[in-house]
Amino acid sequence: TAILQGPEDKVNLTCSHTDSNYIMILWYQQSAQNTALKLIGNVRFTSPTVEDSFKGRFDVSGDAAANKMAYLHFPKVPEAEDSAVYFCAASEAQCFTIPSLLYKNPL
């Protein structure tokens, strides 16, 4: 879906899925200047996370598990650098940290 917004218009994107195993919805940005997908943030169950480089420019919300929906909000008026293609993806992956991988042990 293409969305053309005026300079003062607020933008909200919606993503949904139908798989009851998926508990996370992720949002990505792909700009014309850099075609690599950049992770904006995600909603895991109802817990939102926005990457540091996108904080203040985007908000995410929703319920990825029960309602199977997530939203990407542009809280400020979008700037030229926000002109991009936005993708969402649903995942059943669990997020976890392995403490032993956080530290490099000297030999």
Side-chain angles (χ1 to χ4, degrees):
T1 301
I3 299 176
L4 302 174
Q5 296 293 128
E8 298 299 318
D9 294 339
K10 300 281 183 184
V11 178
N12 294 297
L13 303 179
T14 302
C15 180
S16 63
H17 67 84
T18 59
D19 191 319
S20 60
N21 293 317
Y22 291 169
I23 59 167
M24 181 182 287
I25 296 178
L26 305 101
W27 286 101
Y28 296 92
Q29 180 191 63
Q30 184 181 43
S31 65
Q33 298 80 17
N34 182 355
T35 58
L37 290 178
K38 295 180 194 170
L39 178 63
I40 298 169
N42 68 74
V43 177
R44 183 172 181 266
F45 292 103
T46 58
S47 179
T49 302
V50 176
E51 297 296 306
D52 288 342
S53 60
F54 288 102
K55 283 186 177 167
R57 289 175 49 209
F58 299 95
D59 290 325
V60 295
S61 65
D63 185 339
N67 293 337
K68 300 178 180 63
M69 295 191 82
Y71 308 94
L72 178 65
H73 312 279
F74 295 65
K76 294 196 236 175
V77 174
E79 300 178 15
E81 67 188 73
D82 298 325
S83 181
V85 177
Y86 292 88
F87 296 92
C88 69
S91 172
E92 62 184 26
Q94 297 287 327
C95 292
F96 61 91
T97 302
I98 302 172
S100 62
L101 296 179
L102 293 177
Y103 305 99
K104 184 176 181 182
N105 294 327
L107 297 176

